[in-house]
Amino acid sequence: IIGEITGGSPVDTSVTPTHDLSVCRPFSQSLVPSRDGGVGNAVVWLTGVASGPKDDAPRRARLTLDGCRLEPRVQRVALASTVLVNGRDAMLSRLKFTVDGESEPRATVLLSDVGQIVPTDASNAKPGLVRVHDDLHPWVRAYIVVAPHPFVAVTAADGQFRFDGVPPGRYTLHVWHERLGTHEKKVRVDAGVQTKIAVEF
């Protein structure tokens, strides 16, 4: 499957922190990275897949708190992987890793020292879209996609994605973006045929 998520235009959000101002200064963040009409930071995945190639998502990933913001904003990791949370800000932060529909956070990470690194794998024990937020600084957030199979992608600013080795069959393609919402599209994949998909917000 070769696809493109379109309908985007660059959208920046201005953030004005309300406390810990010696560390947290006002900044702008791009919530809809876009190039040539594409939509970046969209999460794309297939449901109904029973087999496929080995997942190549990273087994170790990094999430960095720097300048009162988390980077990367959206990333994909493998099931049962480890995230190294790196704190570069001299302030107390309490990061919670939550998934919609689950009653308790999957993990909580406390940061207090510059250069502190805290590994966590509890957030990635099950598939899902994990929201990371700092309940001491509500403007601090990020998203981690725990992939159940290789057919999960996070788009770059051009909105492009590609799934190789999809078995023949009928599936549902899902698209999520934190600012633009969700889309679903039925997809048919035939053996030896390249399937092209375009989804427009």
Side-chain angles (χ1 to χ4, degrees):
I1 295 176
I2 294 178
E4 182 181 27
I5 312 301
T6 62
S9 58
V11 176
D12 292 338
T13 294
S14 296
V15 177
T16 304
T18 57
H19 52 281
D20 284 327
L21 300 182
S22 62
V23 175
C24 300
R25 303 179 185 278
F27 63 88
S28 292
Q29 190 165 35
S30 178
L31 297 187
V32 187
S34 180
R35 185 171 67 248
D36 299 326
V39 173
N41 281 349
V43 180
V44 186
W45 71 98
L46 288 179
T47 55
V49 183
S51 63
K54 183 178 178 181
D55 190 8
D56 63 352
R59 305 286 306 175
R60 292 174 71 86
R62 185 175 292 269
L63 184 64
T64 302
L65 179 64
D66 189 8
C68 237
R69 68 175 110 179
L70 287 170
E71 292 292 343
R73 183 75 173 189
V74 186
Q75 65 179 313
R76 172 182 178 264
V77 302
L79 191 64
S81 60
T82 298
V83 173
L84 302 175
V85 184
N86 183 8
R88 295 182 180 173
D89 292 339
M91 66 182 188
L92 179 64
S93 296
R94 185 168 54 221
L95 300 179
K96 299 212 168 182
F97 295 68
T98 63
V99 173
D100 286 351
E102 298 181 2
S103 58
E104 298 292 331
R106 290 190 177 184
T108 300
V109 172
L110 291 173
L111 298 173
S112 59
D113 298 324
V114 175
Q116 185 178 3
I117 297 178
V118 179
T120 180
D121 55 11
S123 61
N124 309 321
K126 294 184 292 184
L129 177 62
V130 180
R131 290 169 167 81
V132 186
H133 69 278
D134 182 353
D135 63 1
L136 301 178
H137 306 87
W139 58 88
V140 174
R141 65 188 64 187
Y143 301 88
I144 298 173
V145 188
V146 185
H149 51 63
F151 309 120
V152 179
V154 177
T155 60
D158 62 3
Q160 303 286 328
F161 68 93
R162 181 186 182 108
F163 296 144
D164 291 319
V166 181
R170 296 179 183 272
Y171 308 104
T172 302
L173 182 86
H174 303 264
V175 183
W176 171 91
H177 191 280
E178 64 169 304
R179 186 69 175 261
L180 302 177
T182 60
H183 262 296
E184 289 186 2
K185 192 166 190 173
K186 299 299 182 182
V187 179
R188 175 180 170 178
V189 176
D190 295 318
V193 177
Q194 189 178 84
T195 302
K196 293 187 177 181
I197 299 174
V199 176
E200 183 174 2
F201 275 102

